Amino acid sequence: MPDSFDLIVIGSGPGGYVCAIRAAQLGMKVACVEKRETLGGTCLNIGCIPSKALLQSSENFEEIAHKFADHGITVEGIKLDLARMQARKGEVVSANTKGVEFLFRKNKVTWLKGAGKITAPGKVEVAGTTYETKNIVIATGSDSIPLRGVEIDEKTVVTSTGALELESVPKHLVVIGGGVIGLELGSVWRRLGAEVTVIEFLDRILPGMDTEIAKNFERVLTKQGFKFKLGHKVTGATRTEAGISLSVEPAKGGEAQTVEADVVLVAIGRRPYVEGLGLEAVGVALDERGRVRTDEHFATNVPGIYAIGDVIAGAMLAHKAEDEGVAVAEILAGQHGHVNYGAIPGIVYTWPEVAAVGATEDELKAAGTAYKVGKFPFTANGRARAMGDLDGFVKILADKTTDRVLGAHILGPDAGHLIAEMVTAIEFGASAEDVARICHAHPTLSESVKEAALAVDGRPIHI
Ligand SMILES: Cc1cc2nc3c(=O)[nH]c(=O)nc-3n(C[C@H](O)[C@H](O)[C@H](O)COP(=O)(O)OP(=O)(O)OC[C@H]3O[C@@H](n4cnc5c(N)ncnc54)[C@H](O)[C@@H]3O)c2cc1C
């Protein structure tokens, strides 16, 4: 008789593996099904971790090549060893995925190797064996959205997966899609020497993020050498001897033009991944966008089957998936697991970084909410001056009457770390005045957050 479990989680990404560990901590007998050779899902294998490894390496390269001289440090004979850079990325990924294996052993979570298929509520088939379980959590994540007329080969026409594996620096990289993934990976290859053109259907980059921040970010990236073709769509790609020839048209209609590239990155978004799970036969309902439909307790319409992470509605972010993994495990243990979707930060790990939490100004306007704005530029921050990182600003949005913080948006050095304070503020229902009255160490970038909070009330000190 094969083992039976209290919980089988399908997928070992940040949603699935965290859910499995939390459930085991709570005393459940847990298995996690993963068809990939290594644990950790998209995030650890082909997403967050390898992209951040390459972003760090390429930023180091750019600093030495272009920024050190200003500090009085001259380095001659700088050379790029891309093979080593890629090998290091592989080592970082491997250390992380092995770390999850260790955590599974430590928490006695069984890794069922292979593709999982739900054959009935309480039954999961893996590699020809059917396992019984009280509950099932679907955490199968997402996959890149393909673009009609542009065939992916992961060598010259790539998704993010191929863009993380390039063996030489492209001369001209065309990125289709001006979202987070396209701009991060575009940054990696631009820093290493590629000319980078971003073609985006909308007339702005970073859809969904604060418009003012996105406009300023576009200016900063243009200064760094990015070229943008906004309001344009790619309608087809043909392979030529020199590379790829893209046909590009204005989004609103008009004459087509040709753009030549030697590598094309298709980064137009991700879609939920449910292939081979057998959901139709079991009757698990999907929504209009192919996501597993869940209620506020992550339950699908079939009793005993739950879903979390990229495969359900909401931001496709690793930390959102993790928090849902913890919440559903706690709910299954009879506790009150909960995720505050109003306090999930979103970060673009370029340099400068972009970070946001809560409502954008556009959203507050659309909702008719009366609000106040406080802004503070990094040009007026002593630490930013010392670092030589002056691009960007902090923007805090607070309710006009109550002063409660509704949103925070940062373009600037280390924005991804700075935003944590504002996540805490929103989680605790803080006012801008609360943030302004907290002592912030000097000289730190975080003083810009305090100053922006002071600016909400029109009384910043340093500007
Ligand atoms: C290039 C890139 C960079 C990113 N950077 C960031 C970032 O910096 N920060 C951030 O928050 N997010 C980032 N993301 C998004 C993040 O990776 C996802 O939001 C996150 O991985 C979702 O977690 P998940 O657990 O829902 O699914 P996934 O991580 O996608 O994991 C799902 C797993 O399920 C497995 N699986 C699927 N079907 C089956 C089956 N039937 N049986 C067995 N196993 C199965 C898959 O093999 C996969 O390993 C990035 C994504 C990409 C592509």
Side-chain angles (χ1 to χ4, degrees), residues 213-232:
I213 292 272
K215 282 210 173 102
N216 279 275
F217 186 44
E218 185 195 328
R219 237 172 271 147
V220 172
L221 291 178
T222 303
K223 210 166 63 180
Q224 292 178 357
F226 268 86
K227 294 203 171 66
F228 289 99
K229 237 178 181 348
L230 303 181
H232 279 78

Side-chain angles (χ1 to χ4, degrees), residues 10-16 33-36 41-43 46-48 51-52 114-116 139-142 160 181 270 273 275 277 308-310 316-319 321 349:
I10 307 178
S12 74
V33 192
E34 177 54 62
K35 62 179 179 165
R36 205 185 286 274
T42 303
C43 173
I46 52 165
C48 323
S51 61
K52 266 77 256 178
T140 47
S142 62
S160 55
I181 291 177
R270 296 182 64 79
Y273 182 83
E275 239 174 80
L277 266 179
I308 55 166
D310 279 13
M316 286 186 167
L317 292 170
H319 41 284
Y349 297 87

Side-chain angles (χ1 to χ4, degrees), residues 9-17 32-36 38-52 55 112-117 125-126 138-144 160-161 164 180-181 184-185 270 273-277 308-312 315-322 324 345 347 349:
V9 182
I10 307 178
S12 74
Y17 86 73
C32 182
V33 192
E34 177 54 62
K35 62 179 179 165
R36 205 185 286 274
T38 47
L39 298 172
T42 303
C43 173
L44 270 62
N45 290 282
I46 52 165
C48 323
I49 297 301
S51 61
K52 266 77 256 178
L55 278 157
L112 299 175
K113 296 185 184 183
K117 183 174 173 188
E125 185 190 298
V126 187
I138 300 167
T140 47
S142 62
D143 203 3
S144 308
S160 55
T161 304
L164 290 165
V180 181
I181 291 177
E184 286 187 358
L185 293 174
R270 296 182 64 79
Y273 182 83
V274 292
E275 239 174 80
L277 266 179
I308 55 166
D310 279 13
V311 80
I312 69 168
M316 286 186 167
L317 292 170
H319 41 284
K320 176 256 190 192
E322 287 184 45
E324 289 179 342
I347 296 161
Y349 297 87

Side-chain angles (χ1 to χ4, degrees), residues 99-390:
V100 178
E101 267 187 61
F102 161 78
L103 292 172
F104 272 12
R105 279 195 303 274
K106 181 181 162 201
N107 290 283
K108 301 193 171 45
V109 173
T110 305
W111 174 5
L112 299 175
K113 296 185 184 183
K117 183 174 173 188
I118 306 173
T119 50
K123 287 193 193 335
V124 177
E125 185 190 298
V126 187
T129 304
T130 299
Y131 298 88
E132 304 226 338
T133 178
K134 287 186 192 136
N135 290 296
I136 297 169
V137 170
I138 300 167
T140 47
S142 62
D143 203 3
S144 308
I145 298 178
L147 180 61
R148 201 181 305 152
V150 182
E151 201 188 312
I152 305 285
D153 62 12
E154 294 296 11
K155 293 277 174 219
T156 50
V157 182
V158 297
T159 64
S160 55
T161 304
L164 290 165
E165 296 294 331
L166 299 180
E167 287 167 5
S168 61
V169 179
K171 270 211 250 358
H172 186 202
L173 170 69
V174 169
V175 179
I176 309 177
V180 181
I181 291 177
L183 297 177
E184 286 187 358
L185 293 174
S187 282
V188 166
W189 295 107
R190 185 204 56 73
R191 291 165 183 170
L192 299 180
E195 184 191 330
V196 177
T197 305
V198 177
I199 303 176
E200 164 60 53
F201 184 84
L202 301 174
D203 58 4
R204 56 164 294 171
I205 59 171
L206 294 183
M209 292 190 101
D210 191 85
T211 303
E212 185 186 14
I213 292 272
K215 282 210 173 102
N216 279 275
F217 186 44
E218 185 195 328
R219 237 172 271 147
V220 172
L221 291 178
T222 303
K223 210 166 63 180
Q224 292 178 357
F226 268 86
K227 294 203 171 66
F228 289 99
K229 237 178 181 348
L230 303 181
H232 279 78
K233 61 181 177 189
V234 173
T235 53
T238 29
R239 283 187 168 74
T240 61
E241 257 176 42
I244 312 291
S245 185
L246 293 173
S247 79
V248 179
E249 290 172 21
K252 291 187 182 128
E255 217 171 295
Q257 35 180 305
T258 304
V259 176
E260 309 288 343
D262 47 353
V263 176
V264 175
L265 162 59
V266 180
I268 56 169
R270 296 182 64 79
R271 60 183 179 185
Y273 182 83
V274 292
E275 239 174 80
L277 266 179
L279 297 190
E280 215 177 288
V282 200
V284 171
L286 304 182
D287 70 11
E288 68 296 343
R289 289 166 65 180
R291 302 173 294 199
V292 177
R293 199 187 283 279
T294 52
D295 66 12
E296 66 276 21
H297 295 119
F298 311 101
T300 69
N301 60 313
V302 177
I305 304 183
Y306 299 77
I308 55 166
D310 279 13
V311 80
I312 69 168
M316 286 186 167
L317 292 170
H319 41 284
K320 176 256 190 192
E322 287 184 45
D323 285 4
E324 289 179 342
V326 169
V328 75
E330 291 177 351
I331 289 168
L332 290 173
Q335 299 184 356
H336 301 280
H338 170 73
V339 176
N340 177 3
Y341 291 99
I344 293 181
I347 296 161
V348 189
Y349 297 87
T350 45
W351 197 265
E353 294 181 338
V354 181
V357 61
T360 63
E361 205 169 342
D362 319 72
E363 283 166 349
L364 294 180
K365 276 186 193 145
T369 308
Y371 62 93
K372 301 177 283 185
V373 188
K375 286 187 228 168
F376 190 81
F378 284 101
T379 44
N381 176 279
R383 184 63 178 274
R385 285 233 163 249
M387 292 166 69
D389 275 311
L390 299 177

